[in-house]
Amino acid sequence: MLNRDAPIFAILTLLSIGLSWNGYTAEIQFVDVTEEAGIHFIHAGGIDHRVVPALVGSGAAWRDYDNNGTLDLYIVNSTAVRPEPGAILPKNVLYRNNGDGTFTDVTETAGVGDTGWGMGCAFADYDNDGDADLYVTNYKANVFYLNRGDGTFKRFTSGAGGIGHTGFGAGIAWGDYDADGYLELYVGNYIEYTKVPQGDEVFFPYDFFGQANILYLNKGDGGFADVTDASKVNGGFHLTLGVAAADYDADGDLDIYLANDTDQNILYRNDGEMTFMNTNQPDARSRTGDIRSGMGIAWGDYDNDGALDLFVTNWLDENNVLYRNNGDGTFTDVSAQSGVFESGLGKTCWGTVFFDMDNDTDLDLFFSAGHIDPASWEPHGQPDVLLRNNGDGTFTDISEQAGLRQFESPGVGRGVAAADYDADGDLDLLIVNSGEKPRLLRNDSGNKQNWIHIRTVGVESNRDGIGARIKIITGDIHQIREVAAGSSYLSQNSPEVEFGLANYNKVDKIIIQWPSGIVQTLNNIAVNQKLVVTEKTE
């Protein structure tokens, strides 16, 4: 029988804690507004947690798919194991943001209600036509939706050069890996579910075989080509769940990190010529290839030293890991000294995000947690974790004070995605729960300090500006972010990059390094606004 702990999310309804810095005090409060926002999605995984695709899925993505200025929400579902004849199958759901704090289900009108064994999702403007297309990973055939630009999508899998890979798709990372102005797609694959190990006892996932991952080259003519082997980035047939791209070595091209379940994680370094090096090799060792049970990934410069650091969530018997970027191609495990180590002990952790919850200029950290009893398959809720960045390289676990606690009927947490969906200047959280409703947690107090959000529009670069590195300078504080499409666990945060500014009343300088290599500088920018920056080519 299958015998492996699986996580469960302790539902968070209210976070409230007083924080202080430089004499300023703010009460951080996240409120569960799922019902009042009109989000009535229910994940089908609760039918039977022993079905692997339902057990390990799924995620969600934020994106303004209809270009009306508000962030919409897509949530991936699973399917029924043995549906009754004529039964309506569970499906993925697209919610259009009404701009007043509520959402409307537009799945049928938009044509994106896939009914497969859903896992991950991410939007990207792959054809540079100004609207967001959508890729969804499944157990069995993945699905690609082309945005028509009129609020509807066309299922475009077969017409896009065979991009609808049939396997056990998991994490996704869109990125212009060859810097030609068109977005490629990297897809991580999990287990070879058609090859069930034989024997009296099967331990999931230790006894299962892995699959090769896929890198699709965007040919610029609407089609894709599989260049996985030529690019040397097939993942080694590990059990990949999390995928996230970032330019960790600041050389102008996107690298790829894989969180692998029970296998060695891999950081692939992009050489700029569409080939990659596995940095677990002795001559390129990055020190990020731990063998644990990798789930979720978050990139972020938590210590504001100008280099992107890495956080990886893991399974119950292992701690989560915070890797500090040394700036020389290597990383140091600072989990213990930063205060992160203990926060994940005894928990199985999945979705995660670096985000400045209080706009104090430091990235805080959130991840979901929980498990299922391996003997009875009964869920046992565990509190999720909110870590406050102290601004000195350490974090404080404020979960208990913030009210993260177990409930009588907790859900099984999976994807976590952050976005300022209500456009009030602070970041909110969406958590997907297997077998239950998701949780939309509205941040009601993080905007008491100043902020700026930036949306990139590429011209020479890809239209979304994915891969652009943005640096802002306020006084003596320097912050960096990168535009990304795919991270956390099977999910996608808002395509905007968000900066907290504390009590600074202007941004002295914004410096954008575009994927094309163009560097663009803006000076003396007003705070508390959403700024759209179009790549300047002259």
Side-chain angles (χ1 to χ4, degrees):
M1 64 177 179
L2 296 179
N3 191 358
R4 159 74 188 263
D5 266 358
I8 186 144
F9 174 71
I11 298 171
L12 172 62
T13 58
L14 185 66
L15 304 176
S16 179
I17 184 168
L19 306 181
S20 63
W21 56 93
N22 297 327
Y24 181 87
T25 301
E27 181 182 75
I28 295 301
Q29 185 175 81
F30 286 84
V31 178
D32 183 351
V33 295
T34 313
E35 288 298 320
E36 66 185 78
I39 296 175
H40 305 301
F41 172 93
I42 298 178
H43 188 270
I47 296 172
D48 191 343
H49 280 119
R50 289 167 290 186
V51 178
V52 174
L55 175 70
V56 297
S58 62
W62 292 101
R63 184 65 191 258
D64 180 9
Y65 82 94
D66 54 0
N67 288 330
N68 70 346
T70 58
L71 289 169
D72 310 298
L73 175 64
Y74 190 77
I75 309 177
V76 178
N77 210 338
S78 191
T79 192
V81 181
R82 298 178 182 86
E84 296 293 331
I88 298 175
L89 292 175
K91 61 187 177 184
N92 302 345
V93 176
L94 176 62
Y95 286 104
R96 186 185 65 222
N97 192 328
N98 299 321
D100 60 0
T102 67
F103 294 81
T104 298
D105 183 341
V106 295
T107 311
E108 292 302 318
T109 301
V112 290
D114 187 46
T115 57
W117 292 101
M119 290 286 288
C121 59
F123 288 94
D125 185 0
Y126 98 101
D127 50 5
N128 292 332
D129 66 350
D131 46 44
D133 311 295
L134 173 63
Y135 194 81
V136 180
T137 55
N138 293 317
Y139 161 58
K140 298 187 176 179
N142 298 336
V143 179
F144 184 47
Y145 293 104
L146 177 66
N147 193 328
R148 292 189 175 105
D150 61 358
T152 67
F153 291 78
K154 174 184 177 182
R155 189 164 176 148
F156 203 56
T157 304
S158 61
I163 198 172
H165 177 70
T166 300
F168 198 145
I172 307 166
W174 288 98
D176 186 3
Y177 298 108
D178 58 359
D180 67 348
Y182 290 93
L183 291 170
E184 279 72 51
L185 176 66
Y186 190 87
V187 180
N189 285 310
Y190 193 42
I191 62 173
E192 184 58 66
Y193 200 35
T194 60
K195 298 180 180 179
V196 177
Q198 303 299 310
D200 295 334
E201 287 191 341
V202 174
F203 291 88
F204 167 74
Y206 304 99
D207 296 332
F208 281 72
F209 304 97
Q211 292 184 328
N213 300 337
I214 305 291
L215 176 60
Y216 289 111
L217 171 71
N218 189 334
K219 298 190 294 183
D221 61 1
F224 291 82
D226 183 346
V227 295
T228 311
D229 291 337
S231 298
K232 301 179 182 179
V233 69
N234 73 359
F237 291 85
H238 291 346
L239 281 65
T240 299
L241 283 172
V243 178
D247 184 8
Y248 81 94
D249 51 2
D251 64 351
D253 49 45
L254 284 173
D255 313 292
I256 301 171
Y257 191 78
L258 308 180
N260 296 317
D261 194 4
T262 72
D263 279 313
Q264 188 174 36
N265 296 340
I266 299 175
L267 175 57
Y268 281 114
R269 187 181 71 208
N270 190 340
D271 68 1
E273 299 294 333
M274 203 60 181
T275 58
F276 294 77
M277 174 178 284
N278 183 339
T279 63
N280 291 331
Q281 298 176 11
D283 57 344
R285 193 169 301 280
S286 63
R287 305 173 190 164
T288 61
D290 285 348
I291 302 176
R292 306 193 196 202
S293 297
M295 311 291 188
I297 304 168
W299 287 100
D301 183 14
Y302 80 93
D303 52 1
N304 284 339
D305 67 350
L308 291 173
D309 310 297
L310 175 65
F311 180 74
V312 184
T313 59
N314 288 298
W315 181 61
L316 183 70
D317 292 337
E318 306 148 343
N319 66 286
N320 300 329
V321 183
L322 177 62
Y323 297 102
R324 187 186 64 215
N325 191 330
N326 298 321
D328 60 1
T330 67
F331 291 76
T332 299
D333 182 345
V334 295
S335 307
Q337 65 202 66
S338 66
V340 167
F341 182 90
E342 292 184 358
S343 66
L345 291 180
K347 301 178 176 68
T348 303
C349 308
W350 295 63
T352 182
V353 60
F354 275 119
F355 72 127
D356 189 351
M357 65 178 173
D358 44 21
N359 287 331
D360 69 345
T361 76
D362 296 314
L363 288 174
D364 309 296
L365 188 58
F366 177 87
F367 57 88
S368 57
H371 78 282
I372 293 177
D373 189 293
S376 65
W377 292 94
E378 291 295 320
H380 295 277
Q382 296 175 319
D384 305 295
V385 176
L386 181 65
L387 298 176
R388 183 188 66 203
N389 191 328
N390 299 319
D392 59 1
T394 69
F395 291 82
T396 298
D397 185 345
I398 61 171
S399 304
E400 184 176 353
Q401 304 96 306
L404 280 72
R405 61 187 186 277
Q406 296 185 25
F407 285 74
E408 292 183 3
S409 300
V412 182
R414 291 296 178 265
V416 174
D420 182 13
Y421 82 92
D422 53 359
D424 66 349
D426 51 33
L427 284 169
D428 314 293
L429 297 171
L430 188 284
I431 298 96
V432 181
N433 296 315
S434 177
E436 289 193 356
K437 292 183 179 181
R439 288 294 180 269
L440 177 60
L441 304 180
R442 187 183 66 206
N443 188 339
D444 277 356
S445 50
N447 59 3
K448 293 182 179 180
Q449 298 216 92
N450 294 329
W451 53 274
I452 191 167
H453 297 172
I454 301 171
R455 178 78 170 94
T456 51
V457 179
V459 178
E460 292 292 332
S461 303
N462 66 85
R463 180 65 178 261
D464 285 340
I466 292 170
R469 175 171 288 211
I470 303 176
K471 179 179 182 178
I472 71 166
I473 301 173
T474 48
D476 59 354
I477 297 176
H478 295 203
Q479 301 180 63
I480 64 166
R481 307 276 193 275
E482 281 190 355
V483 183
S487 63
S488 182
Y489 179 72
L490 310 178
S491 298
Q492 180 182 24
N493 300 317
S494 164
E496 300 171 356
V497 289
E498 304 93 357
F499 295 89
L501 303 176
N503 58 357
Y504 289 97
N505 56 20
K506 71 172 182 175
V507 179
D508 296 327
K509 198 178 292 289
I510 299 175
I511 304 169
I512 302 177
Q513 181 177 336
W514 295 90
S516 64
I518 293 171
V519 177
Q520 186 171 351
T521 303
L522 296 80
N523 297 298
N524 297 322
I525 305 300
V527 301
N528 299 336
Q529 65 163 317
K530 292 194 175 185
L531 181 67
V532 177
V533 180
T534 300
E535 183 178 14
K536 188 175 182 180
T537 59
E538 295 182 358

